[in-house]
Amino acid sequence: MAHNPHAPQPGPEGTHDPAGSTQMFRAFVDEGEPQRGPQPAATSSGPKTGVIVAVVAVIVVLGAVAWLALG
């Protein structure tokens, strides 16, 4: 078997478990946050409206350019 220097090496306390460390960190972070209720659903379309307006504006501009070029 080839030597892999990046592989976790067992130490005096046994093998290192990065997933366990991550779980403990998340538990620590979640412990400090206040408990909140469910988030309300978004009622406005927000960015969708801007995208629709931009697409319509591009179509109008392209139509005007085509009309001027062919007219």
Side-chain angles (χ1 to χ4, degrees):
M1 184 169 193
H3 175 67
N4 185 358
H6 299 291
Q9 302 296 321
E13 68 279 348
T15 59
H16 177 70
D17 181 16
S21 297
T22 303
Q23 290 171 354
M24 289 189 295
F25 175 75
R26 287 183 180 162
F28 172 75
V29 171
D30 291 341
E31 186 177 279
E33 291 182 8
Q35 297 297 323
R36 292 181 277 200
Q39 296 289 335
T43 57
S44 65
S45 57
K48 288 182 182 179
T49 304
V51 170
I52 292 172
V53 170
V55 169
V56 170
V58 167
I59 291 172
V60 169
V61 169
L62 289 176
V65 168
W67 182 69
L68 290 174
L70 298 175

